[in-house]
Amino acid sequence: MLGVVYLGSNPETEERLRYIPGRLVQYTKNYKDAAAACSTHVRNEHFIVFYEQTEQAEDITAITYLKKRNKSVYIILLTHNMNKDDRQVYQRCGINDTIDVNASITELNKKITFIADRESQMFDDTTPRYKMLKFKIPVWKRVFDIVFSALAIIILSPVFLLTAIAIRLESKGPVIFKSKRVGTNYTIFNFLKFRSMYCDAEERLKEVAKEAGNQYLEKNEEKKEEDHTITAPLGAEAEMMMMDMGMESDMMISDDEVMLVGDDYVVAESDFAKEKQEEIDSAFVKIENDPRITKVGKFIRKYSIDELPQLFNILKGDMSIVGNRPLPLYEAEKLTADKSIDRFMAPAGLTGLWQVEERGKGGMMSAEERKQLDIEYGRNYSFKMDMQIIFRTLTAFVQKNNV
């Protein structure tokens, strides 16, 4: 059984929660009432508490009290964007999750459904200690991964040997490239690939991305050229500019536009929000015709041979055959927003839903489309879906485009 409690006084949030299908929401104004609403003598009854963010000091007191009085609660903070330090403070005092304060009815319902479907994993009723939400790979999927990866390693051992020799003959450096990747439950592990780039590839990333162009950033750059963000140095000149904007608002911005003033800039709030969204969208770095790739590297990438060492990751348990692609740390860090974090509550995989969908679209897919497909797979994966993805991966094995 899963109850829902709202703690706050935002009438808009209350109205949206009233329309959650199949859920009776209890509304409370203070944390003691919320704790009482979550009190139960019924075995296996748990609660989601939607907590409206206020002042940090008050929030810490309330959240600490709720967690102390009620072990079987999952607290979701209704908030705007938080910085890293604030997020850590709230996590330490007991927050389990966050969602935007303006989240739609659909988004709220998806969050409740996601937790309800994993209720047995989130709560351990045999001990009084609260158990954090973690994804556990099903037995059928793990058995399939072990059998498939072991057989594949044995059968493809000649390919492993020939590829290693070719890489060493063309360029100096290790045959296997290791990088830190973020997989299931935000777990960091050593991700294995055949080296397809020159050894100084990491150091040259920023330089090459700027010169060659990131496929996912090009569209955003075109938009920026069309938009005119108002920026200026502060000091006496900035003060004059602000005065001018107040007198001539019809010429520059609308009367209700909010201006954000920083240490060295003045920017419209709407433009600042666009820039933050673009920063999240640019998490996937992809460079077209990357000059850092060796000749052998181009060949093994075209035929996906560079991915074969990940069979050892699968055998070890870091990954699965099918799942969401493990991300580099700098990309995963940008996907901790509320709408993206669910992609890590699913298996990490060698191939996945967006890989086969991307090839069907000619290798071009936006970062947002990828994230949504990752989340879709995490919510709906099954043995049948895995087999379909594997079949589509094998039929599209030779990539005609350099994607």
Side-chain angles (χ1 to χ4, degrees), residues 7-21:
L7 173 51
S9 56
N10 187 334
E12 294 180 356
T13 304
E14 292 179 0
E15 184 67 19
R16 288 194 292 271
L17 286 171
R18 285 192 179 93
Y19 288 94
I20 298 296

Side-chain angles (χ1 to χ4, degrees), residues 50 52 94 122 138 179 210-211 229 263 271 282 288 297 322 344 377 403:
F50 286 101
E52 195 93 28
M122 294 169 55
S179 65
K210 187 176 181 180
E211 293 177 359
T229 301
D263 291 336
D271 292 327
S282 65
E288 192 171 13
V322 182
F344 298 105
Y377 176 79
V403 301

Side-chain angles (χ1 to χ4, degrees), residues 3 7 42 53 91 103 109 113 149 153 166 213 267 272 276 279 286 301 303-304 308 353 387 400:
L7 173 51
V42 180
Q53 184 181 17
Q91 286 176 335
N109 187 47
T113 303
S149 58
I153 290 170
V267 62
F272 179 78
K276 294 299 291 182
E279 184 179 316
K286 191 178 182 75
R301 281 191 172 201
Y303 295 95
S304 301
L308 292 182
L353 188 57
M387 294 303 103
K400 295 181 180 180

Side-chain angles (χ1 to χ4, degrees), residues 247-267:
M247 293 185 293
E248 302 178 11
S249 60
D250 291 338
M251 295 176 60
M252 303 186 70
I253 56 174
S254 62
D255 291 335
D256 57 353
E257 178 67 278
V258 177
M259 301 303 295
L260 304 178
V261 182
D263 291 336
D264 56 358
Y265 65 86
V266 179
V267 62

Side-chain angles (χ1 to χ4, degrees), residues 8-281:
S9 56
N10 187 334
E12 294 180 356
T13 304
E14 292 179 0
E15 184 67 19
R16 288 194 292 271
L17 286 171
R18 285 192 179 93
Y19 288 94
I20 298 296
R23 300 286 174 181
L24 180 62
V25 182
Q26 300 183 66
Y27 300 92
T28 59
K29 300 295 184 182
N30 62 72
Y31 61 87
K32 291 186 177 181
D33 289 342
C38 294
S39 297
T40 179
H41 300 289
V42 180
R43 183 175 175 79
N44 296 328
E45 184 175 16
H46 311 116
F47 292 89
I48 297 174
V49 176
F50 286 101
Y51 182 89
E52 195 93 28
Q53 184 181 17
T54 57
E55 295 294 329
Q56 189 176 92
E58 296 178 10
D59 292 342
I60 292 173
T61 300
I63 295 164
T64 303
Y65 183 88
L66 281 170
K67 299 297 282 190
K68 185 177 180 180
R69 288 287 304 274
N70 307 89
K71 304 301 180 182
S72 297
V73 294
Y74 188 89
I75 302 179
I76 301 175
L77 186 69
L78 295 164
T79 179
H80 293 292
N81 290 331
M82 290 193 298
N83 60 44
K84 184 178 179 181
D85 292 337
D86 286 343
R87 188 179 292 273
Q88 290 177 347
V89 169
Y90 278 98
Q91 286 176 335
R92 282 196 295 269
C93 70
I95 283 294
N96 302 104
D97 202 350
T98 62
I99 193 169
D100 191 271
V101 69
N102 296 315
S104 66
I105 297 171
T106 301
E107 290 171 325
L108 291 169
N109 187 47
K110 281 184 178 180
K111 182 70 70 174
I112 294 172
T113 303
F114 181 82
I115 296 168
D117 290 344
R118 293 156 177 79
E119 188 174 356
S120 62
Q121 300 173 18
M122 294 169 55
F123 301 96
D124 185 354
D125 294 305
T126 61
T127 65
R129 186 179 179 85
Y130 184 77
K131 186 177 181 181
M132 294 295 289
L133 173 62
K134 274 194 173 185
F135 173 81
K136 293 181 180 179
I137 189 167
V139 175
W140 66 262
K141 192 171 181 63
R142 182 61 187 141
V143 171
F144 177 80
D145 288 340
I146 293 172
V147 174
F148 188 101
S149 58
L151 288 175
I153 290 170
I154 294 171
I155 295 170
L156 296 172
S157 55
V159 179
F160 277 87
L161 180 61
L162 291 173
T163 304
I165 293 172
I167 292 172
R168 288 303 300 270
L169 287 176
E170 181 180 18
S171 61
K172 294 180 179 180
V175 171
I176 299 296
F177 176 74
K178 296 181 181 180
S179 65
K180 296 294 183 182
R181 293 290 180 103
V182 179
T184 306
N185 297 318
Y186 221 84
T187 302
I188 300 173
F189 65 95
N190 286 322
F191 182 80
L192 306 178
K193 294 183 75 172
F194 278 124
R195 180 172 59 84
S196 60
M197 291 185 174
Y198 294 101
C199 289
D200 61 347
E202 290 289 322
E203 290 76 12
R204 294 175 57 193
L205 176 60
K206 290 185 179 180
E207 175 187 346
V208 174
K210 187 176 181 180
E211 293 177 359
N214 183 340
Q215 291 178 14
Y216 298 119
L217 293 179
E218 286 174 356
K219 291 184 179 179
N220 287 338
E221 291 299 328
E222 291 175 3
K223 284 184 179 180
K224 285 183 179 179
E225 290 178 3
E226 298 174 0
D227 297 336
H228 300 284
T229 301
I230 304 172
T231 59
L234 292 185
E237 294 181 5
E239 291 177 8
M240 291 295 295
M241 181 180 178
M242 294 296 287
M243 292 174 63
D244 290 341
M245 285 192 295
M247 293 185 293
E248 302 178 11
S249 60
D250 291 338
M251 295 176 60
M252 303 186 70
I253 56 174
S254 62
D255 291 335
D256 57 353
E257 178 67 278
V258 177
M259 301 303 295
L260 304 178
V261 182
D263 291 336
D264 56 358
Y265 65 86
V266 179
V267 62
E269 185 179 35
S270 58
D271 292 327
F272 179 78
K274 286 181 183 178
E275 290 180 8
K276 294 299 291 182
Q277 185 59 46
E278 288 167 3
E279 184 179 316
I280 294 174
D281 290 342

